[in-house]
Amino acid sequence: RFPHSLHQDILWASCVQECALQWSADKEQTDKLVSALDHLRHIHCIGLQHGLAFLLWKTYFKDKISSVVVLMEKVGKAPKDRLCRKTVEMSCEALEQFLLVVKQLLELLAQVWTPVDLGHPVDHGHPVDVKNVLYAPLSMLEEALDQPTSYVPLVRLHITLVSVMWLIMGLELKSVRPLTLFDSTTKGAFLKDLSSNPPIPSGATDETILQSRKKFLCKAMSMLTSAQASKQMTGTSPAHPESTDWLKVVLALADQLEVDADPLRCHYVQELYSTGLDSAGKEVLMSVNDKQGLAGKLLVIVGQRLAHTLDSSESTTSVTQLSRLPTHISRWIKQQSPIKLACRDVPIQRTAELLSTILPLLPSGSNNCTLATELSEATQSLYR
C-alpha cells in the first residue's frame, strides 16, 4: 500500500517489466531493452535485481538466443535482414543491439552473484516488503525474489556464446558457425537453466578448438580492418557504429576463448599496413609483444609495396630504377607478390617511414636488419 508502492526498488522493477513488455510487443524497439537494463542496474536489493535479470533471461531472451544460434549454424554467417525478420522477428540492426543487451544482462547476472560464488557474504541491500505493495506488479516481484541463484560459470559460458554471435552480427562475418568454437561438453551446457550445474570443461582446451577460435578472431580482425578502410574512403560507416570499439571487443573475447591476444594484434597490424592504414598500424604495433617477429612480417609488406611500385612504373623507368639497386635487392623485390596487398598504391614516402619503424625492432646484424637497411637506401634511390 501507499507509500510502499513508491519504494525506489519497486518503481525500478516496475519500469523494468514495462520496458520488457513494450519490447516484446515490438521487437524493433531495442531501445526499450536498453532502458530496461538501465532501470535494472539501479535496483539496490541484489536479490530483486538478480531475480528480475533471471526472469528477463528466462521469459524473453533464452528462446530468442536459441533461435539465433540455430539460424547462424544453418547459414554459417551473419544472416541477412530478411532472414532475421522471418526467423527472430528482428532486423539485422535490432538483432545486433539485442545481442549486446543480452550480453550485458548476463554480465550483470555474473557480477551480482560473484561474491556468493567466491564464498563471501552478499549485501542484499534494503529488503522489499512486497506484501505491503498494492499497486506494484505483486506476482512479478514475488516471483523475482523467489528465483534460484544462478551458476556463475554457466552464466559466463553464455556470455561468451552471446559475445561470439554479437561479433558475427556487428562485423558481418561470413563462413563461421558459433558452435564450432566450443567442444561437445560446452555445447551440452548451452541454454540449460542458469541455476543448474551441468558439466563444464576444465583444463586445457583441445588444440583443434583453439585453432578454430584463432581463425575466427583473425577473421574478425580482417573484417574490422576492411570496415576502417571503407570508413576512411567514404567518410561514413553506418554498419559499424563508432560507439563500439570492436578491437577491444575482439581482444576481450580472445581472453574468454583462451586465445593468446598477441598473435591477433600482430595479424591486425599486418592487415592495417596491407590496407594502407599505416598510422593505425603504427599505433597498434606499440602494444604488440613480439615486435621482432612482427617486424619480419612487415618487411615482406615493404617488399610487396616496392614490387608494385616498380611494376606500375613505365617499362623504361622501371629498368632504370632497378639498375640503381643492388642485384640481390632487386631480385628479392621481384620475388615479392604485390597482389597480396589490399591496397597497393601507397606513396613511397610512407613505405620509407614503415622501414624506419621496422629497423629499430630488428636484431642488429641479423639478415632481416641488413635487408631492411639496404631497402631503406633503395627507397631513397628510386626517386632521386
Side-chain angles (χ1 to χ4, degrees):
R1 298 178 183 278
F2 185 84
H4 297 285
S5 58
L6 296 181
H7 187 288
Q8 194 174 50
D9 278 359
I10 292 174
L11 290 176
W12 288 125
S14 299
C15 290
V16 170
Q17 186 187 41
E18 183 60 31
C19 288
L21 286 171
Q22 288 183 25
W23 171 80
S24 182
D26 181 1
K27 294 179 176 59
E28 285 297 297
Q29 295 190 55
T30 50
D31 59 307
K32 300 300 181 184
L33 291 181
V34 174
S35 296
L37 194 61
D38 188 46
H39 296 317
L40 187 63
R41 289 191 179 105
H42 282 83
I43 293 176
H44 296 89
C45 175
I46 291 181
L48 179 59
Q49 187 185 61
H50 170 270
L52 283 172
F54 200 99
L55 280 176
L56 285 176
W57 164 259
K58 186 168 63 174
T59 306
Y60 299 104
F61 297 163
K62 181 180 177 180
D63 289 344
K64 283 294 177 191
I65 290 297
S66 177
S67 297
V68 177
V69 171
V70 171
L71 178 59
M72 287 189 176
E73 285 292 304
K74 180 180 179 181
V75 299
K77 61 180 180 179
K80 298 293 185 182
D81 192 79
R82 180 187 61 80
L83 199 54
C84 285
R85 292 179 185 275
K86 179 181 178 181
T87 308
V88 293
E89 304 175 279
M90 284 180 272
S91 64
C92 284
E93 185 178 351
L95 178 56
E96 181 184 338
Q97 184 65 41
F98 169 77
L99 290 169
L100 174 58
V101 170
V102 175
K103 170 181 172 289
Q104 293 171 339
L105 177 86
L106 291 169
E107 287 171 343
L108 182 63
L109 266 176
Q111 290 170 3
V112 164
W113 291 101
T114 294
V116 171
D117 186 52
L118 297 175
H120 300 304
V122 174
D123 178 11
H124 285 267
H126 301 291
V128 179
D129 184 7
V130 297
K131 294 180 180 179
N132 287 321
V133 181
L134 179 62
Y135 299 108
L138 184 60
S139 60
M140 181 266 294
L141 291 175
E142 290 180 328
E143 188 178 2
L145 290 168
D146 198 39
Q147 292 304 305
T149 303
S150 55
Y151 182 50
V152 174
L154 182 59
V155 174
R156 287 176 179 151
L157 279 185
H158 284 80
I159 291 171
T160 303
L161 174 64
V162 174
S163 297
V164 166
M165 296 193 295
W166 177 47
L167 187 63
I168 291 172
M169 288 302 301
L171 294 180
E172 300 175 8
L173 299 182
K174 298 179 180 179
S175 302
V176 58
R177 290 179 168 81
L179 293 184
T180 61
L181 306 179
F182 304 95
D183 58 28
S184 56
T185 304
T186 304
K187 291 176 188 177
F190 283 141
L191 300 173
K192 297 289 187 184
D193 189 298
L194 292 183
S195 64
S196 64
N197 188 359
I200 290 179
S202 59
T205 305
D206 182 79
E207 186 61 30
T208 304
I209 297 293
L210 281 176
Q211 288 303 315
S212 296
R213 292 174 176 181
K214 183 177 178 180
K215 182 179 178 182
F216 165 71
L217 293 169
C218 282
K219 184 176 295 186
M221 289 294 198
S222 298
M223 287 300 295
L224 175 56
T225 307
S226 298
Q228 287 178 274
S230 174
K231 179 182 175 182
Q232 190 175 74
M233 286 190 295
T234 62
T236 58
S237 184
H240 309 286
E242 292 184 11
S243 58
T244 303
D245 185 346
W246 288 110
L247 175 59
K248 186 176 180 180
V249 171
V250 174
L251 294 177
L253 187 53
D255 184 57
Q256 294 174 39
L257 293 172
E258 300 176 345
V259 174
D260 185 0
D262 203 54
L264 296 177
R265 289 192 182 93
C266 287
H267 176 78
Y268 186 42
V269 172
Q270 288 176 256
E271 290 287 295
L272 289 169
Y273 275 109
S274 175
T275 312
L277 301 173
D278 291 25
S279 297
K282 186 175 182 179
E283 183 179 344
V284 180
L285 188 152
M286 295 300 105
S287 65
V288 171
N289 293 326
D290 184 17
K291 291 184 175 65
Q292 182 178 318
L294 176 58
K297 294 173 182 176
L298 294 179
L299 197 56
V300 174
I301 291 179
V302 168
Q304 292 168 344
R305 287 183 178 183
L306 292 176
H308 174 71
T309 299
L310 294 174
D311 288 345
S312 60
S313 302
E314 294 181 5
S315 57
T316 305
T317 305
S318 179
V319 170
T320 303
Q321 290 172 334
L322 281 171
S323 67
R324 296 174 183 168
L325 304 178
T327 304
H328 65 286
I329 292 295
S330 60
R331 186 185 303 117
W332 182 83
I333 291 175
K334 287 179 180 179
Q335 291 172 349
Q336 308 311 308
S337 176
I339 197 172
K340 296 179 180 179
L341 292 173
C343 176
R344 298 166 201 163
D345 295 317
V346 178
I348 191 70
Q349 293 83 358
R350 296 232 313 258
T351 301
E353 290 173 9
L354 174 54
L355 275 167
S356 298
T357 301
I358 290 173
L359 266 170
L361 307 179
L362 295 168
S364 180
S366 66
N367 291 337
N368 277 344
C369 184
T370 302
L371 176 60
T373 302
E374 293 176 330
L375 284 172
S376 182
E377 295 170 356
T379 55
Q380 301 301 321
S381 69
L382 285 177
Y383 286 93
R384 281 176 185 167

